[in-house]
């Protein structure tokens, strides 16, 4: 249901519908220790603390749990405050707080050390909260909901930032922020880029391939072609997610074997020569 890399990139953690969590060696792909057990229903969301020492998990058993990353043993929890499935969890950049979003339409901030709620549940969405994410400076966080909106919140003190972003025609499934905090991203079958400094300033970007498999730039130009067998996977929320610690990660694209052109016919011709 959810996966996340450790901050040092040496491990990743997965949460499953089988109610367990597993830690994996990122180099060998082998499990590190046995499954982490405690949740009584599916593990919906999982994340490492910024220092990599702990793991937070949210579950459809309506609870949040904390685990030691080195041993896999329980560190704290279950934290109880939501009345329905906890769909998304995230650490603040300083590791002092955890934010959770739930099917009960609320958001809860938790003291990561004490395990206690910081204030009451945050209300405003009118449907399930599907994703939550902190800004890299920790001053704000964003929430995405199946009510097709994104809300921005001040983290200290915790209050609504008064910005309601609308633009999705379908369900908003994921939200994350850029490293420079200028933009908020959300996704269903499209990616929407919002200027966080200018409420309502929307830069739409449609990730869906056209009937021939082409992804188009907003100005109409062609970006790249997607093989038919990969088009459904391209729309997976896990692929659309932009990690909040993305500036610490490097993704390398090697185009040396690629063919370039303005149309499929040209690329196919180039590939045959």
């Amino acid at each position: 249901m959810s996966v996340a890399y450790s901050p040092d990139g040496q491990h990743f953690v997965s949460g499953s519908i089988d109610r367990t969590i597993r830690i994996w060696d990122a180099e060998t792909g082998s499990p590190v220790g046995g499954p982490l057990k405690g949740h009584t229903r599916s593990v919906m969301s999982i994340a490492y603390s910024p220092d990599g020492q702990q793991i937070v998990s949210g579950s459809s058993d309506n609870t949040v749990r904390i685990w030691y990353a080195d041993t896999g043993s329980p560190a704290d929890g279950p934290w109880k405050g939501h009345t329905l499935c906890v769909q998304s969890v995230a650490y603040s950049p300083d590791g002092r707080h955890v934010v959770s979003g739930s099917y009960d339409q609320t958001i809860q901030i938790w003291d990561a050390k004490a395990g206690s709620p910081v204030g009451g549940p945050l209300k405003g969405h009118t449907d399930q909260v599907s994703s939550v994410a902190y800004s890299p400076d920790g001053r704000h966080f964003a929430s995405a909901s199946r009510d097709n909106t994104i809300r921005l919140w001040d983290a200290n003190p915790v209050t609504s930032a008064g910005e309601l972003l609308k633009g999705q025609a379908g369900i908003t499934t994921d939200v994350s922020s850029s490293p420079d905090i200028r933009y908020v991203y959300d996704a269903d079958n499209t990616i929407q880029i919002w200027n966080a400094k200018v409420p309502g300033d929307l830069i739409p970007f449609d990730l869906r391939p056209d009937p021939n498999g082409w992804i188009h730039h907003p100005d109409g130009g062609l970006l790249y072609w997607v093989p038919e067998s990969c088009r459904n996977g391209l729309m997976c929320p896990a692929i659309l997610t932009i990690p909040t610690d993305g500036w610490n990660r490097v993704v390398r694209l090697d185009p040396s074997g690629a063919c370039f052109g303005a149309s499929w016919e040209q690329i196919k011709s180039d590939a045959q020569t």
Side-chain angles (χ1 to χ4, degrees), residues 94-168:
D94 62 9
R96 296 175 56 190
H97 298 97
V98 168
V99 61
S100 58
S102 170
Y103 281 11
D104 65 10
Q105 306 177 13
T106 71
I107 300 154
Q108 182 66 61
I109 305 295
W110 307 84
D111 185 304
K113 185 175 181 180
S116 55
V118 178
L122 304 176
K123 300 179 180 180
H125 285 297
T126 58
D127 207 332
Q128 302 170 5
V129 178
S130 53
S131 184
V132 289
Y134 271 95
S135 63
D137 65 359
R139 296 173 57 189
H140 305 90
F141 58 91
S143 58
S145 169
R146 292 174 67 93
D147 64 10
N148 306 333
T149 68
I150 296 172
R151 288 182 177 268
L152 302 182
W153 309 80
D154 291 322
N156 188 22
V158 180
T159 57
S160 172
E163 297 181 12
L164 179 64
L165 309 181
K166 297 180 180 180
Q168 299 293 84

Side-chain angles (χ1 to χ4, degrees), residues 38-50:
H39 284 296
T40 58
R41 298 190 68 180
S42 301
V43 179
M44 306 297 292
S45 182
I46 202 154
Y48 271 91
S49 61

Side-chain angles (χ1 to χ4, degrees), residues 35-273:
L36 284 57
K37 299 180 179 180
H39 284 296
T40 58
R41 298 190 68 180
S42 301
V43 179
M44 306 297 292
S45 182
I46 202 154
Y48 271 91
S49 61
D51 62 9
Q53 295 184 13
Q54 295 185 329
I55 296 166
V56 61
S57 58
S59 168
S60 56
D61 65 9
N62 310 344
T63 70
V64 175
R65 289 178 179 264
I66 303 293
W67 313 80
Y68 290 114
D70 55 350
T71 64
S73 58
D76 201 2
W79 298 348
K80 299 180 179 180
H82 290 292
T83 59
L84 293 173
C85 168
V86 179
Q87 175 68 15
S88 183
V89 290
Y91 267 99
S92 62
D94 62 9
R96 296 175 56 190
H97 298 97
V98 168
V99 61
S100 58
S102 170
Y103 281 11
D104 65 10
Q105 306 177 13
T106 71
I107 300 154
Q108 182 66 61
I109 305 295
W110 307 84
D111 185 304
K113 185 175 181 180
S116 55
V118 178
L122 304 176
K123 300 179 180 180
H125 285 297
T126 58
D127 207 332
Q128 302 170 5
V129 178
S130 53
S131 184
V132 289
Y134 271 95
S135 63
D137 65 359
R139 296 173 57 189
H140 305 90
F141 58 91
S143 58
S145 169
R146 292 174 67 93
D147 64 10
N148 306 333
T149 68
I150 296 172
R151 288 182 177 268
L152 302 182
W153 309 80
D154 291 322
N156 188 22
V158 180
T159 57
S160 172
E163 297 181 12
L164 179 64
L165 309 181
K166 297 180 180 180
Q168 299 293 84
I171 295 169
T172 302
T173 58
D174 221 323
V175 64
S176 57
S177 61
S178 63
D180 61 6
I181 329 169
R182 291 185 300 166
Y183 301 104
V184 175
Y185 304 79
D186 70 287
D188 55 0
N189 286 336
T190 65
I191 292 177
Q192 305 264 27
I193 305 175
W194 301 85
N195 189 335
K197 301 296 184 181
V198 183
D201 186 6
L202 170 66
I203 308 170
F205 183 81
D206 193 343
L207 190 65
R208 292 171 293 189
D210 68 16
N212 295 318
W214 286 100
I215 303 294
H216 292 260
H217 190 275
D219 66 9
L222 299 177
L223 290 178
Y224 56 89
W225 180 78
V226 182
E228 185 173 3
S229 61
C230 301
R231 292 172 197 169
N232 288 336
L234 183 68
M235 309 316 301
C236 172
I239 299 298
L240 298 175
T241 300
I242 301 171
T244 55
D245 62 342
W247 65 94
N248 286 326
R249 305 186 187 186
V250 176
V251 177
R252 180 172 297 166
L253 177 64
D254 180 7
S256 59
C259 296
F260 300 91
S263 67
W264 171 240
E265 289 79 7
Q266 178 182 341
I267 293 177
K268 183 177 180 181
S269 176
D270 292 343
Q272 292 174 340
T273 60

